[in-house]
Amino acid sequence: EKFINGINLVFNKYNEHKEIKNFFLNFSVLDDRHQESQTEQNIASIFKKTNILFAPFGKNALSAIPNTAINNSLILFPITGTAEFRSPNFPGIIFFRASLKKEIAALVDHAIHESNAEKISVFYEESSWGKEGLEYVKNQIKNYNRSTKNSKIQLVSTGAYKRNTVN
């Protein structure tokens, strides 16, 4: 909600002062409730009005956009860390957030070097995003152990929660 309020403040300021001549900035928030069909409907309704998307949330939003539309659009700051869309094949996507792989590398590095962790547990979302993150953790630990003699770093447990729940 703070994100939405912040964007609206900026857009309203630009519109009020007519800082972008001949254009009116409109920020719409559409909830897909993690339902693929609703995501596709939301994307289609946006592309009827504009070819600019600002901060689409998650891999499912980007996956719902046809590749031809992605390549003819400007997609700013998607809120996803997955690697699938970080490619020269999608020059119209501009990321603000680091990749999930880099985030995981930083977290594992911090656990090992700053917290002196030797045993690591991972609690993740039961989704393609969460499973991708878990694989990155496993690979990061494996790579660390390969590069360091006498390393004792191990992934000792994992636990997952169902997407869209707090259970």
Side-chain angles (χ1 to χ4, degrees), residues 6-28:
I7 297 303
N8 275 321
L9 282 172
V10 172
F11 280 25
N12 290 340
K13 178 185 174 201
Y14 275 86
N15 289 333
E16 182 181 322
H17 298 292
K18 300 185 188 321
E19 294 187 37
I20 302 177
K21 304 217 185 298
N22 302 321
F23 288 97
F24 179 80
L25 299 174
N26 183 17
F27 185 67
S28 299

